[in-house]
Amino acid sequence: MTTTVIGTRLTGDLGRAMDGQLGDAIDDRVADALEDYIAEGRLDGRVRARRSPGGIAAIVAAGVAAVLLPWCLILAVTLPSTYEAGNWKLTWIGLDCATAVAAGLTAYLLHKGNKHAVLSAMAAGTLLIADAWFDVSTAGAGFDRTLSLTEALVLELPLAVCAFVVAARELGRR
């Protein structure tokens, strides 16, 4: 067996002794590091594949964007400019109920100091923006459109911004 220590080659008993000491030193350092990880809760004994942050989720999100952008162009060309919708009441009541649930859940989770308030606040903000968009874009000309625009600019969009600010603030605390 031959061991090289900083450019010097050692052979025989001395080389074997150095290999043993080096191996023991490495074993001790690895054992110490593992004990630290276990004590800090960063290692729970489960084996996980190593992935880059976002890995598969980033690929899926990019795929969705790649499919939806051309789809939007197809819809722009093929959809009629007017359409009579069934379940109109159910659609609007459902959207407003979902927004109310997201806002209420956010208030509850904030009160409890729960870290998941970030998620419900993001959902509430997103639903408020969707509500404003659909209110304005489906409103008839005249008073209905003016009322929808006013509601969007005075209530829904500022509340959405507040929800996103709450989410960002809570995320910064974690």
Side-chain angles (χ1 to χ4, degrees):
M1 171 168 286
T2 304
T3 302
T4 304
V5 178
I6 311 176
T8 306
R9 184 170 290 186
L10 303 173
T11 58
D13 292 336
L14 182 57
R16 282 189 286 281
M18 289 294 289
D19 279 342
Q21 289 173 354
L22 183 59
D24 290 344
I26 290 172
D27 289 345
D28 291 343
R29 294 190 77 183
V30 168
D32 290 343
L34 283 174
E35 286 175 14
D36 291 345
Y37 273 86
I38 291 169
E40 294 171 9
R42 293 188 288 170
L43 186 65
D44 58 9
R46 293 185 299 206
V47 177
R48 294 178 192 86
R50 294 179 74 75
R51 293 187 193 111
S52 63
I56 294 172
I59 292 169
V60 170
V64 168
V67 169
L68 283 178
L69 289 175
W71 180 246
C72 290
L73 294 174
I74 292 168
L75 291 177
V77 172
T78 60
L79 282 178
S81 57
T82 61
Y83 182 80
E84 188 172 325
N87 301 315
W88 186 255
K89 284 183 181 181
L90 179 64
T91 302
W92 286 108
I93 292 168
L95 180 58
D96 287 341
C97 284
T99 306
V101 167
L105 182 59
T106 301
Y108 173 77
L109 293 174
L110 287 171
H111 175 71
K112 292 293 186 181
N114 189 308
K115 65 182 179 180
H116 294 100
V118 171
L119 300 174
S120 61
M122 291 297 293
T126 302
L127 287 167
L128 283 161
I129 290 174
D131 194 6
W133 173 261
F134 288 113
D135 280 344
V136 172
S137 65
T138 61
F143 178 75
D144 286 345
R145 181 158 299 136
T146 302
L147 181 61
S148 294
L149 272 170
T150 303
E151 186 178 316
L153 294 173
V154 174
L155 292 173
E156 292 164 331
L157 295 178
L159 287 173
V161 169
C162 289
F164 294 139
V165 167
V166 165
R169 186 190 75 207
E170 287 301 308
L171 193 59
R173 290 183 184 184
R174 307 290 171 213

